């Protein structure tokens, strides 16, 4: 068997163009503000891509660039201003933040109604209780990929590899909300390969290049690779050994061109969801 390759770029493009159609019918322009602290090169590229994608969907996006040396109090005051600004529907603070600024304090200061990253404790709680409102973009993107590929989560055995607050945990919560039977595996899991082999849906989010080998994948399983790892030669690799898994999987995402584009599409969708909820 050779796996179906799930084209995240094409699926995300279709989502973005459907979203642009929806935004065109709104009596207002949704507003998204990305807060970028410091000069992390990867973050700067990511933020530029977000700005471009937002404009294409009819969303007014702007980036607030702040110096690395700014204090936590100054950043909190910037966020308070954005919370109070009626034209701003979505606020995203680009991570990572400089070490002297506590991420938890900053995330908790964002108005939960504008929390398009879905990291505020209130939105995390909503997801945990099975009634998500603004859910984190990457795991939401994975769910949208599964749906677009006609992979049914309900009743399926799903294994999520990784338990971070940004990807693994919300991923597991979304799969559970979709009625999958979910296992979360992590660095203390015994016999990772055996756990993965039980999966009908395997989501890898570990940040270790090509860790998931061909013999970790059950015949016909859907393999979703969230990982983005830069190799010594400068190329990108996922957490899945793509070539090895291809003959086993039923469907698989490439890196790049799989989950990555879905994350941005879901951010735009969250912005529109937040805008409609706030303005109605
Ligand atoms: P984190 O480093 O925060 O979490 C990694 C998780 O993987 C942890 O739960 C850790 O376990 C687990 N893990 C690490 N090493 C092993 C191992 N050897 N065996 C088993 N489990 C292990 O990473 P993120 O969740 O933030 O990101 C994961 C990957 O996804 C990265 O490559 C990142 O770049 C990518 N990413 C991609 C996005 C996209 O848009 N496509 C968006 C966000 C992230 P433990 O908890 O026990 O330490």
């Amino acid at each position: 068997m050779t796996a179906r390759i799930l084209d995240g770029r094409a699926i995300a493009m279709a989502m973005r163009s459907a979203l642009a159609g929806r935004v065109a019918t709104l009596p207002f322009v949704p507003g998204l503000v990305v807060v970028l602290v410091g000069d992390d090169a990867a973050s700067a590229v990511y933020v530029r891509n977000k700005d471009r994608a937002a404009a294409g969907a009819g969303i007014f996006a702007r980036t607030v660039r702040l110096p690395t040396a700014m204090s936590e109090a100054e950043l909190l005051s910037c966020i308070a201003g954005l919370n109070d600004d009626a034209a701003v529907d979505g606020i995203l603070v680009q991570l990572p933040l400089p070490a002297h600024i506590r991420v938890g304090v900053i995330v908790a200061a964002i108005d939960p109604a504008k929390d398009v990253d879905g990291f505020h404790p209130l939105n995390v709680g909503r997801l945990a209780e099975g009634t998500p409102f603004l859910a984190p973009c990457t795991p939401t993107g994975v769910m949208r990929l599964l749906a677009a590929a006609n992979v049914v989560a309900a009743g399926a055995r799903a294994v999520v590899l990784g338990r971070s607050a940004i990807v693994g945990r919300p991923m597991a919560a979304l799969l559970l909300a979709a009625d999958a039977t979910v296992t979360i595996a992590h660095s203390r899991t015994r016999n990772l390969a055996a756990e993965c082999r039980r999966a009908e849906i395997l989501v890898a989010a570990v940040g270790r290049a090509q860790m998931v080998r061909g013999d970790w994948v059950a015949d016909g399983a859907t393999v979703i690779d969230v990982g983005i790892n830069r190799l010594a030669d400068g190329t990108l690799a996922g957490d899945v050994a793509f070539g090895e898994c291809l003959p086993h999987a039923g469907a698989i995402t490439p890196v790049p061109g799989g989950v990555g584009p879905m994350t941005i599409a879901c951010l735009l969708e969250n912005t529109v969801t937040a805008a409609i909820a706030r303005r109605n």
Side-chain angles (χ1 to χ4, degrees), residues 118-171:
F119 296 157
H120 187 284
L122 190 76
N123 287 320
V124 174
R126 284 172 172 149
L127 176 57
E129 69 179 11
T131 53
F133 169 52
L134 295 170
C137 302
T138 298
T140 302
V142 172
M143 296 307 292
R144 301 300 294 268
L145 256 178
L146 294 175
N150 296 316
V151 176
V152 178
R157 278 191 309 278
V159 173
V160 178
L161 200 40
R163 57 173 166 180
S164 73
I166 292 175
V167 189
R169 285 169 200 262
M171 185 72 255

Side-chain angles (χ1 to χ4, degrees), residues 46 138 161-164 166-168 186-188 192 205-208 211 226-229 239 259-260 263:
Y46 195 44
T138 298
L161 200 40
R163 57 173 166 180
S164 73
I166 292 175
V167 189
H186 46 77
S187 67
R188 305 292 297 274
L192 217 47
V206 277
R208 304 254 181 264
M211 193 177 94
V226 178
I228 302 176
N229 309 286
D239 290 344
V259 174
T263 299

Side-chain angles (χ1 to χ4, degrees), residues 39 55 96 123 171 191 262 272:
D39 49 15
N123 287 320
M171 185 72 255
N191 204 344
M262 299 299 290
V272 174

